[in-house]
Amino acid sequence: MKKQITLSIALLSSVFMASAQTEQKSAVDVVDHYFEQLSAQSEFLTTLFTPEAGISTVVYDSNGIATQVKYSRESYLKELQRTGEYYNFIQEPLVLIDRSYGYATSIYTSVFMQFVSKNETNTLKSKSVQSFKLLFIDGNWKIDHLSIQNEIPGTKLDDFLWPEELTASLSNVNPVSAPEPVVSLYDENKIYSTTEVDEKPVYPGKSSELSQLLKKYNASDSGENGSPFLILISEDGGASLYYVNDLSSDQISRAQALTEAMVPWYPALKDKASVKCKIKLTIQ
Amino acid sequence: MKNLSLFLVLLFTTISLSAQEKDFSSIDIVVQSFYEALAQDNNEMRSQQLAALFTKDGQISSVNHANNKPASIKTGSWKTFYSGSTSLYASYFLSNDEVERTVDFYGEIASVHSLVYQTLIQKTSKKEYAQLYWMQLDLVYLNNRWYLDYTSWTNQYQNVAVEEAILSDTIWHQLSK
């Protein structure tokens, strides 16, 4: 009974209509509409939710302890608008697991996210898993609850939620779960972790200079006391923000400022060639 | 009478403690405990059991389909559900029998779907009503245990098998870039 369909956005509107609701948008349409409206951050977004809807996100404190942040549809819009002051963001559902019966629908989906800094050309890319609960009220599907879990570094999404067929073009920018084939020579497109390179990236000058810089932005490279994020050191030593996980908008801004304040690094070496390398830092 | 009151106070305290001290580190225990809480006839105990299971702002929604007319939908917090359902419990005994379950999870969130036979027994006439429900439960893992953050139930109608709800359709969405 399971169906597996590849559909364009345009085709999505033709499926999963309950027989009694053929004139209205389907639940999948509404979820699609939600993702389209996120980047606009308009008041219209709130109309996609029921008045009592809750939006739940999981964030991690400086000790890595998970806490829940719960929004109403109005406070969620405000949070999106705050983030929108610094970033243009695009979220696109990738694989949607749809369960539906009568006036209720559940959609569990993987999401590809892009945050484009308004001051820079830098684009941050990430993933999340989101669980939508929808109800058919007064002739329209409305989101009654949304749970959001952003990607956890080191915890891969299930393959069925992130299929190679759809994500092959993202593999070079995939921050965590990109396929990592065993190769004897370096791959110029690959972003290596520090454990994979022959020589790790080195910040020029005395070690205290990097420490002072990190301290200025309440960041650390010791792996403790802060929310984790990744920076990318390119082949020419340039540093850029790479993966922000669950950082708040303020933390993202400081992490961005930190990378901009860095002088070029000595890049990582693999097979005697300079290669891209990601470094994990934490920020308060 | 005084002894009886004391006994009831102690009973409530014991049940309250057991609900709070229950190990909710597995999804299975939380789901089972939820169905037990729904079946709890005593209002005070049901309230305590639900409070132990839900996040502070946890939601309960219900979809009651009826033949040939729009479904009746209720949304709100679990507290709203509790206060609005006491009249039902005054008239009926309720029991739940879970027959099937699927779980999707990643990180600190989980999404559970289950099919439940719910039986209502009219307290005075002993008349019995049974219906199959699709239960949806979204959970969140905080402080080394799972909490219910959202639950909803949907009843079967017009002989359309509610078992269909458990079966999933998978849609692949082409990225624009």
Side-chain angles (χ1 to χ4, degrees):
Chain A
M1 190 59 192
K2 282 198 173 187
K3 289 181 265 179
Q4 195 165 76
I5 320 160
T6 303
L7 293 174
S8 67
I9 296 173
L11 284 175
L12 288 176
S13 61
S14 64
V15 295
F16 301 114
M17 289 275 200
S19 61
Q21 299 125 24
T22 50
E23 299 300 317
Q24 290 79 26
K25 292 190 171 203
S26 70
V28 176
D29 278 332
V30 171
V31 170
D32 235 8
H33 209 36
Y34 161 81
F35 284 113
E36 288 166 13
Q37 290 296 318
L38 270 183
S39 53
Q41 301 131 37
S42 70
E43 300 289 332
F44 178 78
L45 193 70
T46 60
T47 67
L48 299 175
F49 290 86
T50 63
E52 298 82 11
I55 298 99
S56 163
T57 66
V58 176
V59 297
Y60 298 87
D61 68 13
S62 57
N63 296 313
I65 306 296
T67 53
Q68 183 190 43
V69 180
K70 198 81 178 268
Y71 299 99
S72 65
R73 59 182 185 174
E74 291 81 12
S75 60
Y76 184 55
L77 176 63
K78 284 181 183 167
E79 179 62 23
L80 291 172
Q81 288 170 337
R82 270 194 291 272
T83 307
E85 291 173 12
Y86 302 97
Y87 292 93
N88 295 317
F89 49 90
I90 303 163
Q91 295 193 21
E92 294 180 85
L94 194 70
V95 176
L96 301 96
I97 311 299
D98 173 286
R99 293 181 177 90
S100 191
Y101 183 84
Y103 284 61
T105 289
S106 164
I107 295 176
Y108 185 81
T109 179
S110 51
V111 178
F112 177 57
M113 307 189 294
Q114 298 182 77
F115 295 83
V116 183
S117 166
K118 288 192 169 173
N119 301 324
E120 293 286 321
T121 55
N122 190 27
T123 301
L124 310 174
K125 301 184 179 185
S126 187
K127 312 170 190 173
S128 69
V129 171
Q130 305 191 12
S131 172
F132 290 85
K133 303 298 181 190
L134 298 101
L135 299 171
F136 192 73
I137 299 175
D138 298 332
N140 293 296
W141 285 101
K142 300 280 184 183
I143 302 166
D144 194 35
H145 190 258
L146 171 58
S147 297
I148 302 171
Q149 169 72 65
N150 290 322
E151 186 186 23
I152 303 168
T155 305
K156 204 179 160 201
L157 269 66
D158 287 328
D159 289 342
F160 75 91
L161 285 175
W162 204 257
E164 277 189 31
E165 293 91 329
L166 292 178
T167 60
S169 63
L170 306 175
S171 60
N172 291 341
V173 293
N174 187 331
V176 172
S177 54
E180 297 186 350
V182 177
V183 291
S184 56
L185 292 174
Y186 80 95
D187 178 351
E188 64 181 358
N189 292 317
K190 182 176 175 179
I191 298 169
Y192 290 88
S193 66
T194 52
T195 57
E196 296 173 304
V197 295
D198 301 327
E199 297 287 344
K200 294 177 187 176
V202 177
Y203 195 73
K206 297 176 184 173
S207 60
S208 60
E209 289 182 27
L210 178 60
S211 300
Q212 286 170 3
L213 183 63
L214 292 169
K215 191 175 178 183
K216 181 179 172 185
Y217 293 94
N218 281 334
S220 167
D221 59 354
S222 63
E224 296 175 354
N225 299 326
S227 304
F229 66 102
L230 298 175
I231 65 170
L232 172 68
I233 309 300
S234 61
E235 299 97 319
D236 63 4
S240 60
L241 200 50
Y242 178 53
Y243 178 69
V244 295
N245 191 30
D246 287 318
L247 299 193
S248 66
S249 54
D250 172 59
Q251 287 173 316
I252 293 173
S253 297
R254 282 189 285 115
Q256 181 77 51
L258 167 64
T259 57
E260 289 169 1
M262 288 175 170
V263 299
W265 291 57
Y266 297 114
L269 296 176
K270 174 81 173 171
D271 299 324
K272 299 181 181 176
S274 58
V275 292
K276 299 182 186 77
C277 186
K278 56 193 175 188
I279 297 176
K280 182 182 170 185
L281 301 175
T282 56
I283 193 164
Q284 295 279 4
Chain B
M1 189 63 185
K2 191 176 177 182
N3 286 342
L4 178 62
S5 300
L6 180 62
F7 171 74
L8 289 174
V9 168
L10 285 172
L11 178 65
F12 287 149
T13 307
T14 306
I15 290 167
S16 172
L17 282 174
S18 67
Q20 287 161 11
E21 290 173 356
K22 211 166 180 176
D23 179 8
F24 292 124
S25 61
S26 84
I27 291 172
D28 181 57
I29 290 172
V30 173
V31 173
Q32 285 184 34
S33 299
F34 176 58
Y35 294 138
E36 287 169 15
L38 289 182
Q40 175 54 252
D41 192 53
N42 182 284
N43 289 333
E44 179 65 23
M45 286 189 267
R46 188 169 65 259
S47 171
Q48 290 174 3
Q49 289 173 355
L50 291 172
L53 287 166
F54 275 89
T55 57
K56 184 170 71 70
D57 299 313
Q59 294 172 244
I60 292 183
S61 295
S62 64
V63 178
N64 284 303
H65 293 109
N67 291 347
N68 303 319
K69 58 180 183 179
S72 164
I73 296 177
K74 290 181 181 172
T75 61
S77 71
W78 70 264
K79 292 167 192 165
T80 308
F81 159 78
Y82 165 73
S83 56
S85 64
T86 49
S87 60
L88 173 78
Y89 287 89
S91 304
Y92 295 93
F93 291 114
L94 189 154
S95 65
N96 296 298
D97 183 14
E98 188 184 30
V99 292
E100 193 172 342
R101 185 192 303 173
T102 67
V103 181
D104 298 312
F105 66 93
Y106 177 75
E108 264 69 50
I109 66 169
S111 186
V112 175
H113 298 269
S114 70
L115 293 176
V116 169
Y117 266 110
Q118 190 173 86
T119 306
L120 291 175
I121 300 173
Q122 226 280 343
K123 287 183 176 175
T124 50
S125 67
K126 309 296 180 196
K127 201 171 177 182
E128 197 169 310
Y129 306 88
Q131 201 164 19
L132 191 58
Y133 281 83
W134 169 31
M135 309 293 288
Q136 300 185 62
L137 302 88
D138 265 12
L139 299 93
V140 59
Y141 192 78
L142 305 165
N143 303 320
N144 300 317
R145 57 155 289 186
W146 289 99
Y147 286 90
L148 291 171
D149 197 38
Y150 178 87
T151 65
S152 76
W153 52 83
T154 306
N155 68 323
Q156 180 166 291
Y157 73 115
Q158 288 182 331
N159 298 321
V160 181
V162 76
E163 289 92 333
E164 292 286 320
I166 289 282
L167 301 172
S168 61
D169 294 300
T170 302
I171 304 169
W172 281 14
H173 190 162
Q174 296 282 15
L175 295 174
S176 57
K177 292 178 183 177

